[in-house]
Amino acid sequence: MKSAYFRELQRYSKQDIANALHTDLDTVVKLLRRLKSCGVVKAVNPRSEEVNRLDFSLQDENCSDVDLTVSNQLFVFTYVGVIAVDGYVFKCYPKYIKANTEPLQELKQVLQVIKKYNSKAHIISMSNGLDEQSPFNMLAIMLFLINDYYESGLYSNQRSVLEVNGEGEINWDTTINESFAFLIENRPVYTNLYTNNTIDDTDSIIRRIHQSIISYCSNLLHEVGLSDLFGIEDLVLTDEGLEDIGDEEYLLYQLSKELNVQFITRKQILLKTMFAFISQKSILEHGFGLSMYGTSSFHTVWENVCSTVFGSHLHCKLKDLPIALSTKYTPIQNSTLIELIEKPKWTAHANGTSYPHTVADTLIPDLITIFQHAKSTCFGIFDAKYYVIRLDESGVSGQPGIGDITKQYLYQRAYSSFLQDHNIANIINAFLCPGIESHIEILGEAQLDMLYSLGLCNIQVWKLPAKSMYDWYLDNKVVEIENFLHAN
């Protein structure tokens, strides 16, 4: 199986893709046609002044559906993760990684982050789309089965057994009926005591099927060079193949029979997944078919990483904030910071009467945190932006739009009364972008004079060390921003 690395949103010609995968143009056209069906590749018109431009977002481009009849069309991958197509593997890494064209360790860490982010939803992606006609996602199924094995071990059921003189609870009914007793001082003394015990059934056919599937998946991922990328060890649990246990019909029958009597949710999910794997196993005769593991919305992952690592106070009750709460807010001390943001008021004028209405939708910041900085209380208003911003002496590109800038100003304005009532003058308002450096970089700031003149802070641009952020996220570590700034 041939594989290559591709940078998210970087332009590639058909020839570039062919060279990377060591294949011909006809094959590339077939691969692109398959990728188009999942919406993970877009076409960009090759305007000469932008051909060499790498830092861009889809919002800046005239992206369209893939038209394979256009000879000089360029293509961008709108995906972060791994895509396996008919014996070829596309390893798509995040757009902020520029210097390293084969970032194994970086992509390996990103895949771990995606795995943790997706685990909160407890959903297995069995297909590569929303409808029933979408291709079966064999790679995601295999990875789920292996990760489930790491977390919970092999499938097993517990069964009750009787033991003689065991360590479990004494079964007096069986002991009295089956054991010989001596009378000592008119009291029966039994030579053997029957005890209840619960043991794992390690010889069931379901367990044999499970360990055979795990061994098969581990071996296949190793053969195609994906085991290292996903951090999977060689798992040789048995030499017994599925065909040694029985044919497909027999295996599916055994899984269905077990599913009918199994009421534990985790085991039900495992049984259904093994059933899906066996019923679709023929796909693996020609690579992985079309399989994906990753996301087309990595910006939501980055937002979650920033919010988790910096410990947002947005949904904290006012009484739990790390400040002495003003008596003015005592009556609403159980309200949260987000509830302080004003909601839009609508007034209907009908029949000479006004009817006021309030709606729930309002401004929602990504991240609000209160911390100590420069020996004073600081109010941090942060917006996680999965952008590759260039801001230097030669100009600016890849920046957030005017709507993003005005919203950041409005977030501060929404809390102006709260800040004044608590004498908080130290305010940091910033965009948080990922970078490959090992330390934080403050690239500059964005300013709108008409809002800055109201006494609002300009919007700083921070480039954060993505590797460190991911390490903390995976370790469930909350980092104080003051320590973060000091350490970097």
Side-chain angles (χ1 to χ4, degrees):
M1 183 172 284
K2 299 178 180 178
S3 66
Y5 288 88
F6 297 90
R7 182 184 170 202
E8 178 195 17
L9 294 186
Q10 179 169 318
R11 287 183 174 88
Y12 296 95
S13 67
K14 283 181 278 192
Q15 188 61 58
D16 292 334
I17 298 173
N19 293 341
L21 293 173
H22 302 289
T23 188
D24 55 78
L25 289 176
D26 290 339
T27 300
V28 169
V29 170
K30 294 177 182 177
L31 295 174
L32 289 173
R33 187 173 289 115
R34 298 291 304 278
L35 294 175
K36 174 187 175 182
S37 68
C38 295
V40 296
V41 65
K42 294 286 185 181
V44 181
N45 293 325
R47 296 188 293 275
S48 59
E49 69 274 12
E50 296 179 352
V51 167
N52 295 320
R53 193 170 144 224
L54 298 179
D55 299 329
F56 64 94
S57 64
L58 289 178
Q59 291 84 352
D60 299 327
E61 299 299 319
N62 182 21
C63 292
S64 60
D65 288 335
V66 176
D67 185 355
L68 298 174
T69 63
V70 179
S71 60
N72 64 340
Q73 198 167 53
L74 299 177
F75 304 92
V76 295
F77 293 90
T78 60
Y79 195 78
V80 173
V82 175
I83 311 171
V85 190
D86 298 335
Y88 293 87
V89 176
F90 295 78
K91 303 174 182 178
C92 304
Y93 58 93
K95 60 187 177 184
Y96 60 83
I97 301 175
K98 303 177 185 179
N100 190 355
T101 58
E102 294 188 1
L104 170 62
Q105 295 304 321
E106 290 89 340
L107 183 54
K108 181 177 180 179
Q109 185 187 42
V110 165
L111 291 173
Q112 292 173 339
V113 170
I114 293 173
K115 173 189 170 184
K116 178 173 181 176
Y117 176 79
N118 288 338
S119 67
K120 298 177 181 179
H122 301 288
I123 296 174
I124 310 170
S125 177
M126 290 197 179
S127 68
N128 295 311
L130 299 177
D131 57 75
E132 295 180 355
Q133 303 302 317
S134 300
F136 186 81
N137 197 344
M138 181 58 80
L139 179 59
I141 292 297
M142 295 173 67
L143 292 172
F144 170 82
L145 289 169
I146 290 178
N147 289 328
D148 176 83
Y149 167 75
Y150 280 134
E151 294 174 4
S152 304
L154 285 172
Y155 188 93
S156 65
N157 283 323
Q158 293 184 329
R159 57 188 177 91
S160 297
V161 297
L162 279 175
E163 295 180 331
V164 178
N165 298 324
E167 297 181 356
E169 181 182 1
I170 298 173
N171 187 319
W172 285 111
D173 288 341
T174 305
T175 298
I176 293 171
N177 293 326
E178 301 292 337
S179 184
F180 182 80
F182 292 97
L183 286 176
I184 300 178
E185 297 181 356
N186 293 322
R187 298 184 61 185
V189 176
Y190 293 92
T191 56
N192 292 310
L193 296 174
Y194 287 87
T195 57
N196 296 321
N197 194 12
T198 302
I199 64 173
D200 288 333
D201 186 0
T202 59
D203 297 323
S204 72
I205 190 170
I206 304 301
R207 187 182 179 92
R208 290 168 58 199
I209 293 173
H210 190 199
Q211 63 185 7
S212 178
I213 290 177
I214 296 300
S215 299
Y216 179 89
C217 291
S218 173
N219 181 63
L220 181 58
L221 291 173
H222 177 76
E223 287 181 356
V224 301
L226 290 178
S227 56
D228 188 31
L229 189 60
F230 287 103
I232 296 173
E233 301 175 357
D234 291 340
L235 299 172
V236 183
L237 307 181
T238 180
D239 294 330
E240 187 177 40
L242 290 172
E243 65 281 357
D244 299 323
I245 302 174
D247 59 23
E248 179 180 317
E249 182 178 357
Y250 175 75
L251 298 177
L252 296 179
Y253 167 74
Q254 293 295 334
L255 290 171
S256 297
K257 187 172 70 172
E258 179 70 14
L259 187 58
N260 289 334
V261 297
Q262 181 57 255
F263 299 102
I264 299 176
T265 301
R266 176 255 161 187
K267 292 184 178 181
Q268 287 179 333
I269 295 174
L270 176 58
L271 290 168
K272 291 177 181 178
T273 309
M274 288 195 291
F275 188 99
F277 174 84
I278 292 174
S279 63
Q280 298 290 333
K281 186 172 176 290
S282 59
I283 292 175
L284 296 173
E285 296 175 2
H286 306 286
F288 285 92
L290 174 53
S291 296
M292 303 190 302
Y293 188 89
T295 179
S296 293
S297 304
F298 194 73
H299 65 277
T300 61
V301 179
W302 176 245
E303 290 170 5
N304 187 254
V305 168
C306 292
S307 179
T308 302
V309 169
F310 289 148
S312 178
H313 291 125
L314 193 59
H315 299 284
C316 285
K317 293 181 178 180
L318 300 181
K319 65 180 182 180
D320 297 328
L321 295 175
I323 57 173
L325 194 64
S326 168
T327 55
K328 175 181 176 180
Y329 292 84
T330 302
I332 58 169
Q333 62 180 338
N334 288 318
S335 299
T336 62
L337 267 180
I338 195 171
E339 292 175 326
L340 296 183
I341 298 179
E342 181 182 1
K343 296 178 175 59
K345 299 179 180 65
W346 293 79
T347 302
H349 300 293
N351 302 321
T353 304
S354 297
Y355 300 91
H357 304 284
T358 301
V359 297
D361 291 340
T362 188
L363 296 168
I364 303 178
D366 277 359
L367 171 62
I368 298 289
T369 183
I370 301 174
F371 58 99
Q372 295 298 310
H373 179 58
K375 297 183 179 180
S376 65
T377 299
C378 182
F379 194 83
I381 308 170
F382 300 108
D383 190 15
K385 288 296 181 188
Y386 182 56
Y387 282 51
V388 180
I389 301 177
R390 182 179 62 83
L391 180 58
D392 54 30
E393 65 277 3
S394 61
V396 57
S397 64
Q399 73 276 13
I402 185 67
D404 297 308
I405 296 171
T406 55
K407 279 194 297 183
Q408 285 302 113
Y409 277 115
L410 289 175
Y411 294 148
Q412 181 182 346
R413 181 62 180 169
Y415 286 109
S416 58
S417 296
F418 179 83
L419 296 172
Q420 184 176 358
D421 292 336
H422 291 88
N423 297 316
I424 300 176
N426 193 355
I427 300 166
I428 296 179
N429 202 334
F431 293 128
L432 307 179
C433 306
I436 60 173
E437 293 77 9
S438 60
H439 57 280
I440 183 176
E441 286 188 295
I442 300 179
L443 301 182
E445 60 185 32
Q447 176 175 323
L448 273 176
D449 288 340
M450 58 182 171
L451 295 176
Y452 178 70
S453 63
L454 299 177
L456 302 176
C457 296
N458 289 333
I459 319 305
Q460 298 180 11
V461 180
W462 292 10
K463 185 184 288 188
L464 302 179
K467 181 182 183 303
S468 297
M469 293 291 289
Y470 297 152
D471 283 339
W472 293 324
Y473 178 74
L474 293 171
D475 291 340
N476 298 311
K477 184 176 181 181
V478 176
V479 177
E480 294 289 342
I481 294 183
E482 169 66 7
N483 297 335
F484 178 81
L485 292 172
H486 178 72
N488 289 275

